[in-house]
Structure formats: structure tokens, C-alpha cells
């Protein structure tokens, strides 16, 4: 175990120091690839969150709060350089902890470095305005940090979500209290060490591992928190928002999705095919923005189905460190949830068009599930309406733009959508008509683009992270009107 995780995982990070949690209990961290116990993490609770909030508040009045925006940016840039230098080790930890293949873990480490580079460079680029007003007045605005921001991040993309939320919050001068997911937090703990070594002043970043119902709930309801950023399920997001509302604290929620890719008959299928499949099976489908619905215009429906099925049958599922196409699901519980939906498909007589192959040497204790392509799915079926959070994609035929929009918008979610067509007018009509926080035309994801604001509508949440919008979200606008006659 010690050789797999080369640092003490049983501590909380508060005020620039690693220390024991208030309660002498730990939580077992499982290895999704073989079911073994990977490490024990601290079971932080309300007392630790309270100490972390106090340390963050002290940092605002101390060394961290005294830095200029330019100086904050330099610290973030140095953090980014150190992350990039340790990308291979971070990828290994992410593969062990989350179960994603090494190549995906490394992409996440590089993305974390990119966020830090972007927000490091943007820290001193957020400007106020001078407003035209009545004679005898000068009116202006500037942006100030909220103060102490709370960050509750999920297990599926710890590095990326820390980058886009904590990175932006620090760039604006906030001090952060971070609660990582109890299922996967090794790279978050490693990141705290990197930040400290890079010169981030004590208390600017505090990390309290623990259970969601304990440490997470304590953070969301703490009276000393000035803003909450939460990424996770709709149900938990509603609880976080309700807890924060008791103190009228603003909340950024990035919740679930049931994202469609809409393929018209004039689409470039050769260009679309990799995106159609990869966006559904990346990280074993455990992605809020996963393209879980593929809507295809009837003239090319069977062709798209055949080509996607061929790709599915070529996929290999196996241990994360073996770096196959797909790794295991995060836990036994998640495996059971996804298996339930596959049972619904089979019991309902839906067509299982193709499945990936599980490698022969996959450990019996791993949480493996073969990615599955389901065809001819009615748009009202549970598989087409509910977030499965696993490597399951459904194909739905449609006729024309109006029906495509109706089906695409016909779920409670609105996070991401993709459109494939050569028709320029249709591209714009669909982009305007889709109820979604992001729309990608003739691509999906745009390479992850840290510059692109991300967030949802409807039950997919509200507020935006990534890009400059995150900086605005992690700050408050102050208006100053000076009467000088």
C-alpha cells in the first residue's frame, strides 16, 4: 500500500499544516480495478471544517490577502508548472483511485495545469468600469472576492474540477475550503502538497476529506462560508443549496446531464463517429456531460448504428493501470445502478446493438461493466430520460429539425449538446433552440477548452465555471458613486 500512495493520506490540511482530524477515524479508499483497499483517508467533520474556515479567514487578513492580483497570478502559474512536472505521477494516482485509464488521468493532470496557467494569467486582467452618470458624480465598479469559498468536488474528475473552481476562486483572491469526495481524493491531497510547495500562503487552501453527510454538510451550512461551489448529483445539490440558503450564501451548482448529440443526414459521419462514441464511454461514462443520447435522422440511422456498433465491439475494458479504452466503474454501488438500467433495457425488449469486450485478465474484484450501445430507444424510456452515469448510450431516430429539438430538449436536464450538420442555417437554428449550457457544432467538447464557460440550465444547475465567467462568479461587484460637485 505504501508503495502505491507515497504520502500520508490520513490527515487534513488546515492553515498550511497536515494534522490529524478531530475524530480519530478513517474511511477506506477502494481500488476500483481490483476491489482492494487502496488507502485510508481522514474522516473529517464539523470541527475540522470550522478550523479550516477559521484558517481561511485568517489568510484573508494575512499574507494571502496582502498579495496583489499579479502576485496571486504568479503563485498560480508556479502551481501549474509543478502540476505539469508531476503529471505522470498524478495520472497514476488518478488511475488507481478513480479507475480511469492512465491516458485519461494524464489528460486530467494536464488540464489542471492549464486551468492554473489560465487563471494565473487572468488574475490581474479582471477590470472594473467607469459609468456615465449625473454631472458632479464619478461612478465606477470593481470586483472583490467573496471571502471564504467552499468547494465540494465529486470523485469522477477531481483534478479538473479543482482546477476550474479552486483555481478561479484563488485568482480572485478568495481563500478556499475544499471537501473532496470520499470515494476518490488522492490527487486532491497531492494537489494540496503541490500548492504548498509552490508558495501558496498558509490558509489560502484548506482540504478536509470526509463523508458528504458529515464534512460536506458542515461546509455547506457553515455560517463563515461566503460562497459554495458544488458539483455532483441533483439530489445532493438541492441539499447544498438549501443549507447555504439559511445564510443567504450564493451557490454555483453543476449537476447532472442527459446530453444529446444530434446527427443530421448531411453530417460528416467520418468526423462525427469518434466523438459520438468517445463522449459516451470516457471515464466509463461517469461524466456529467457524457453524450448518453445519440439522436440520428432516419436516412442515416442504420449507418450510424452500424458504425458505432463496430467501434463498441473493438473497445477493451480492463484495469486502469493497463491503460485500455475503458476502466472500471468507481464502486460496487455504481455498478449496481448501471446494471439496473441495462436490466430495464433487456426486460423491456430494447435492442442491445453492441457491447465492448472485457479483457481476460481483469481482476474478479474490479467493478467492470462492458460499455453497451442500445438502439431504437423511445425518447420517453427511462434509459433516454434518466442520468445513468455509466458507459451506456442510447440511439434514438428522428425526422427533421422540429422533432430533433423536441427530443433533445425533452429531458429535465440541459448541460451540453452536440449538433452534426453541414447546413449553416441549421447549425444556428439548432444552437439557438437547444436548452443547454453549452452547444458544440460539428465537434463535442472542443478539446475541453478551459476558456469556455461551463454550466447548465434546468436540473443541470446554475452558475458558470471555466473561462472568465468563473472569475465573475467567484467575485462580487461593488458600485462606487463619488459626489465631487
Amino acid at each position: 500500500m505504501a508503495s502505491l500512495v507515497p504520502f500520508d493520506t490520513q490527515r487534513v490540511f488546515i492553515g498550511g499544516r497536515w494534522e490529524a482530524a478531530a475524530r480519530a477515524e478513517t474511511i477506506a479508499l477502494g481500488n476500483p480495478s481490483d476491489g482492494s483497499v487502496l488507502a485510508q483517508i481522514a474522516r473529517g467533520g464539523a470541527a475540522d471544517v470550522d478550523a479550516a474556515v477559521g484558517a481561511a479567514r485568517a489568510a484573508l487578513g494575512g499574507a494571502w490577502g496582502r498579495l496583489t492580483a499579479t502576485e496571486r497570478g504568479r503563485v498560480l502559474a508556479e502551481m501549474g508548472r509543478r502540476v505539469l512536472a508531476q503529471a505522470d505521477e498524478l495520472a497514476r494516482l488518478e488511475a488507481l483511485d478513480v479507475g480511469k485509464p492512465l491516458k485519461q488521468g494524464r489528460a486530467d493532470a494536464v488540464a489542471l495545469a492549464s486551468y492554473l496557467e489560465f487563471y494565473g494569467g487572468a488574475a490581474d486582467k479582471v477590470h472594473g468600469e467607469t459609468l456615465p452618470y449625473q454631472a458632479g458624480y464619478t461612478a465606477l465598479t470593481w470586483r472583490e472576492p467573496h471571502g471564504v469559498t467552499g468547494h465540494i468536488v465529486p470523485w469522477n474528475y477531481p483534478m479538473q474540477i479543482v482546477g476550474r473552481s479552486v483555481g478561479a476562486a484563488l485568482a480572485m483572491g478568495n481563500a478556499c475550503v475544499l471537501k473532496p469526495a470520499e470515494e476518490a481524493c488522492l490527487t486532491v491531497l497531492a494537489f494540496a502538497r503541490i500548492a504548498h510547495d509552490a508558495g501558496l500562503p498558509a490558509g489560502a487552501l484548506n482540504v478536509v476529506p470526509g463523508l458528504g453527510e458529515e464534512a460536506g454538510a458542515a461546509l455547506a451550512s457553515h455560517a463563515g462560508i461566503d460562497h459554495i461551489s458544488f458539483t455532483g448529483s441533483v439530489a445532493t445539490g438541492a441539499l447544498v443549496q438549501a443549507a447555504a440558503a439559511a445564510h443567504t450564501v450564493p451557490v454555483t451548482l453543476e449537476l447532472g446531464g442527459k446530453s444529446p448529440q444530434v446527427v443530421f443526414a448531411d453530417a460528416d459521419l467520418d468526423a462525427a463517429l469518434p466523438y459520438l462514441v468517445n463522449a459516451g464511454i470516457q471515464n466509463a461514462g461517469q461524466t456529467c456531460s457524457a453524450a448518453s443520447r445519440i439522436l440520428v435522422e432516419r436516412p442515416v440511422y442504420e449507418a450510424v448504428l452500424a458504425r458505432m456498433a463496430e467501434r463498441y465491439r473493438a473497445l477493451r475494458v480492463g484495469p486502469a493501470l493497463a491503460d485500455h479504452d475503458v476502466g472500471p466503474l468507481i464502486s460496487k454501488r455504481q455498478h449496481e445502478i448501471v446494471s439496473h438500467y441495462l436490466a430495464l433495457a433487456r426486460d423491456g425488449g430494447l435492442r442491445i446493438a453492441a457491447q465492448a469486450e472485457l479483457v481476460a485478465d481483469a481482476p474478479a474484484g474490479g467493478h467492470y461493466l462492458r460499455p453497451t450501445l442500445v438502439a431504437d430507444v423511445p425518447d420517453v424510456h427511462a434509459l433516454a430520460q434518466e442520468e445513468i452515469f455509466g458507459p451506456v448510450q442510447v440511439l434514438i431516430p428522428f425526422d427533421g429539425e422540429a422533432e430533433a429539438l423536441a427530443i433533445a430538449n425533452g429531458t429535465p436536464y440541459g448541460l451540453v449538446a452536440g449538433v452534426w450538420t453541414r447546413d449553416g442555417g441549421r447549425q444556428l437554428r439548432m444552437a439557438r433552440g437547444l436548452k443547454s449550457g453549452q452547444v458544440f457544432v460539428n465537434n463535442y467538447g472542443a478539446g475541453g477548452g478551459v476558456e469556455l464557460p461551463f454550466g447548465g440550465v434546468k436540473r443541470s444547475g446554475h452558475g458558470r465555471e471555466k473561462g472568465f465567467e468563473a472569475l465573475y462568479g467567484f467575485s462580487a461587484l461593488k458600485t462606487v458613486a463619488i459626489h465631487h460637485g
Side-chain angles (χ1 to χ4, degrees), residues 296 298 300-310 312-313 341-355 371-378 381 383 392-397:
V296 187
R298 287 189 189 275
V300 293
Y301 180 81
E302 290 299 332
V304 171
L305 172 58
R307 295 177 70 170
M308 287 188 68
E310 182 181 13
Y312 259 74
R313 286 188 285 267
Y341 282 100
L342 289 178
L344 287 180
R346 293 189 179 94
D347 294 347
L350 296 180
R351 178 161 50 134
I352 305 299
Q355 288 188 299
T372 303
L373 184 65
V374 187
D376 310 338
V377 179
H381 194 281
L383 267 72
V392 178
Q393 287 182 291
V394 301
L395 267 79
I396 304 171

Side-chain angles (χ1 to χ4, degrees), residues 1-2 4-5 9-10 26-41 96-97 186 365 367:
M1 184 183 299
L4 291 177
V5 185
T9 60
Q10 300 182 41
T26 59
I27 304 167
L29 203 62
N31 184 337
S33 291
D34 61 16
S36 65
V37 174
L38 184 60
Q40 297 285 336
I41 61 170
L96 285 169
D97 205 10
L186 290 182
H367 311 306

Side-chain angles (χ1 to χ4, degrees), residues 259-447:
S259 299
Q261 291 199 62
V262 184
V263 184
F264 286 91
D266 69 337
D268 182 342
L269 298 186
D270 290 333
L273 190 62
Y275 292 92
L276 298 179
V277 175
N278 293 344
I281 57 91
Q282 182 178 328
N283 195 27
Q286 299 166 124
T287 306
C288 53
S289 57
S292 54
R293 295 185 296 153
I294 307 298
L295 282 53
V296 187
E297 200 165 18
R298 287 189 189 275
V300 293
Y301 180 81
E302 290 299 332
V304 171
L305 172 58
R307 295 177 70 170
M308 287 188 68
E310 182 181 13
R311 287 212 168 209
Y312 259 74
R313 286 188 285 267
L315 294 171
R316 297 294 176 266
V317 184
L321 292 180
D323 209 17
H324 295 290
D325 302 301
V326 181
L329 296 173
I330 187 69
S331 64
K332 180 181 178 182
R333 176 178 175 274
Q334 192 62 28
H335 189 280
E336 290 171 349
I337 290 171
V338 181
S339 296
H340 162 73
Y341 282 100
L342 289 178
L344 287 180
R346 293 189 179 94
D347 294 347
L350 296 180
R351 178 161 50 134
I352 305 299
Q355 288 188 299
E357 180 182 331
L358 178 63
V359 298
D361 60 350
H367 311 306
Y368 299 101
L369 189 143
R370 296 163 64 196
T372 303
L373 184 65
V374 187
D376 310 338
V377 179
D379 64 288
V380 295
H381 194 281
L383 267 72
Q385 287 289 316
E386 299 173 13
E387 186 177 39
I388 299 172
F389 224 61
V392 178
Q393 287 182 291
V394 301
L395 267 79
I396 304 171
F398 70 85
D399 292 300
E401 286 181 40
E403 187 178 19
L405 271 177
I407 295 173
N409 291 335
T411 76
Y413 300 101
L415 191 57
V416 177
V419 178
W420 295 89
T421 177
R422 291 184 171 94
D423 185 323
R426 179 185 289 143
Q427 293 170 4
L428 292 173
R429 289 191 298 271
M430 291 295 295
R432 288 187 180 278
L434 286 162
K435 305 302 182 186
S436 179
Q438 287 187 325
V439 178
F440 297 103
V441 178
N442 292 333
N443 74 101
Y444 194 88

